[in-house]
Amino acid sequence: MSYETITKVTQDIVLEGTKPAKEVAQSIGKPYSTLLREINPFDSNAKLGATTLMDILKTTNETKPLEFIAQSIGYTLKPRVN
């Protein structure tokens, strides 16, 4: 599993998702420029933290990064049934 690949999947949901990236940044309490740097897979000096990833997932209601992680270690992600 590559950190850059997880970062790229996260970048895609922030930049191409249904919620504008500036709104995502505001929702998670990060400056827009900081968020863009953290989700840039080509910036080796910036890192996407687990807490920020969780905040992004909650704000966007996207599960693609979780699905990628689960699949890469041999698991399947499925929603919890109440």
Side-chain angles (χ1 to χ4, degrees):
M1 172 173 29
S2 168
Y3 177 79
E4 292 177 345
T5 303
I6 294 166
T7 305
K8 178 61 177 148
V9 171
T10 305
Q11 182 187 50
D12 290 346
I13 67 169
V14 170
L15 297 180
E16 300 170 13
T18 57
K19 188 177 241 184
K22 285 187 178 184
E23 194 175 318
V24 173
Q26 184 177 18
S27 293
I28 67 171
K30 288 207 179 253
Y32 178 68
S33 60
T34 301
L35 175 61
L36 291 186
R37 185 163 187 231
E38 289 181 9
I39 63 171
N40 181 350
F42 304 108
D43 187 339
S44 61
N45 293 318
K47 303 293 182 225
L48 174 62
T51 302
T52 300
L53 177 59
M54 288 295 298
D55 290 343
I56 291 169
L57 297 175
K58 289 175 184 176
T59 298
T60 62
N61 291 318
E62 281 283 352
T63 59
K64 290 175 187 159
L66 288 178
E67 291 167 1
F68 173 81
I69 293 168
Q71 188 176 43
S72 69
I73 59 174
Y75 286 82
T76 301
L77 185 67
K78 63 181 181 178
R80 179 177 53 188
V81 178
N82 292 331

